[in-house]
Amino acid sequence: MRDGFAGLLDDAHRSGSELWIKTAPRGTCHDQTSPGSVSTLGGEAQQETYLRAWRAFGRFEGRSSVRRWLYKIATMACLTALETRSRRPLPSGLGAPSDDHRVAVAPSEPSVEWLQPAPDALFGADDPAAIVAGKAGVRLAFIAALQFLPARQRAVLTLRDVLAFRTAEVAEMLETTTAAVDSALRRARAHLAEAGPVEDDLAEPDEETRRTLLDGYVDAFTRADLDALVNLLRADVELEMPPIPTWFTGQRAVVGFLASRVLRRDRWRMVPTRANGQPALVAYEHAGDGRYEAHGVQVLTLIGARITRITAFNDPSLVPTFGLAPALAT
């Protein structure tokens, strides 16, 4: 059994396709971590998946694809893990926003296990999780709302609506009936709708418009050009900044906060990337010694040719997960 399992891994790596890694369900924990963050549960559940797969490999008869076999194992591992884990929120999931930028900003809450961004690079073009990116299934808003569901409903919704498995396949994975899967899916969709907007039907711009918008945002942010920034934001734009629980809604409040507390000309350097299927920027702050040090990651949500949400994760430790250096030279 061990030789066969190791052979599957060896063949995958020798072929250059990395079959095992690409079929391993990195985005199937149906919870607040992978693909919604890069925290410990995603890694723990993946390790548990590998261990369970290794133990069960001798019983794998090839009647289903390796992918489906692994997703079944991963789903059960994740359901077990979720029994002892609470949800990871964004600030918008904990309290009401402010429409006045002059309010006192609450101190950081390091005790809260915040939702985190996941680099798109974690999900290659041939990875099953790439399906998710095309359906908004890794968007921060979707992952945050998903956490209001019971674990089994979360699993059914992700497997059916995000990863596009058939009802019969999901029933087999969860060792239940197709009727039970259909019932759980109906309840999950209803509960998700009640939890708030999921933004899974955004009218996103085309690639050229998206690039122009992102370039304009970087330019306005680094030059502290408030007029240019206003032209890029929707009137109902929202700004949240985990681990700070205070968040803002409305163009006046968001721009006012940035103008008074964040933006200074040449204070910031921004490196474009992608996270959770959305445009993102790694932010570096001027350190005063000719260096710009990692500050965090901003994830942008777009509707049309405007920015509707800025989620600024002010955590320098996230930067290495995007494959970028902890500091930049001027």
Side-chain angles (χ1 to χ4, degrees), residues 47-107:
Q47 292 177 23
E48 179 65 17
T49 298
Y50 288 155
L51 180 60
R52 293 188 184 195
W54 182 83
R55 289 171 175 168
F57 184 70
R59 300 190 298 276
F60 177 58
E61 300 176 352
R63 289 182 294 179
S64 67
S65 67
V66 174
R67 175 191 177 225
R68 198 170 90 190
W69 179 67
L70 287 173
Y71 269 97
K72 177 179 179 178
I73 293 172
T75 295
M76 303 312 292
C78 289
L79 288 174
T80 299
L82 287 172
E83 292 175 356
T84 59
R85 292 292 181 119
S86 59
R87 70 184 184 94
R88 286 178 176 264
L90 287 171
S92 54
L94 295 181
S98 173
D99 59 4
D100 184 352
H101 69 87
R102 296 166 297 184
V103 300
V105 175

Side-chain angles (χ1 to χ4, degrees), residues 115-130:
L115 189 69
Q116 295 178 347
D120 277 13
L122 289 178
F123 311 110
D126 296 327
D127 193 304

Side-chain angles (χ1 to χ4, degrees), residues 132-301:
V132 176
K135 289 188 168 185
V138 293
R139 294 190 180 280
L140 291 172
F142 178 84
I143 298 298
L146 197 66
Q147 297 171 72
F148 288 94
L149 300 179
R152 188 160 289 263
Q153 288 183 26
R154 204 179 302 181
V156 169
L157 183 77
T158 304
L159 291 168
R160 283 285 288 115
D161 284 0
V162 177
L163 295 168
F165 281 104
R166 296 190 299 272
T167 299
E169 293 174 322
V170 176
E172 179 186 346
M173 291 180 195
L174 298 179
E175 299 178 353
T176 187
T177 65
T178 56
V181 169
D182 287 338
S183 177
L185 184 60
R186 286 194 300 271
R187 294 197 304 273
R189 288 170 176 169
H191 291 164
L192 204 61
E194 293 173 0
V198 179
E199 300 184 57
D200 58 353
D201 56 349
L202 299 180
E204 289 197 340
D206 57 34
E207 182 59 35
E208 182 178 354
T209 303
R210 183 162 50 245
R211 172 52 56 188
T212 300
L213 180 56
L214 190 62
D215 289 346
Y217 179 80
V218 170
D219 181 65
F221 202 95
T222 55
R223 291 192 301 107
D225 187 336
L226 300 181
D227 291 336
L229 190 61
V230 166
N231 290 332
L232 300 173
L233 305 178
R234 282 173 55 100
D236 58 353
V237 64
E238 295 174 339
L239 168 67
E240 42 190 338
M241 307 162 289
I244 296 171
T246 304
W247 62 293
F248 297 94
T249 184
Q251 194 180 90
R252 182 185 297 273
V254 170
V255 174
F257 174 83
L258 294 175
S260 61
R261 313 195 199 194
V262 178
L263 297 181
R264 299 291 183 273
R265 189 178 182 90
D266 297 325
R267 178 182 180 181
W268 302 97
R269 291 288 182 268
M270 313 290 275
V271 179
T273 184
R274 289 189 64 83
N276 298 86
Q278 300 170 238
L281 299 158
V282 172
Y284 291 85
E285 185 175 11
H286 193 258
D289 58 355
R291 287 161 41 94
Y292 285 82
E293 295 183 348
H295 181 80
V297 179
Q298 293 187 17
V299 181
L300 306 180
T301 303

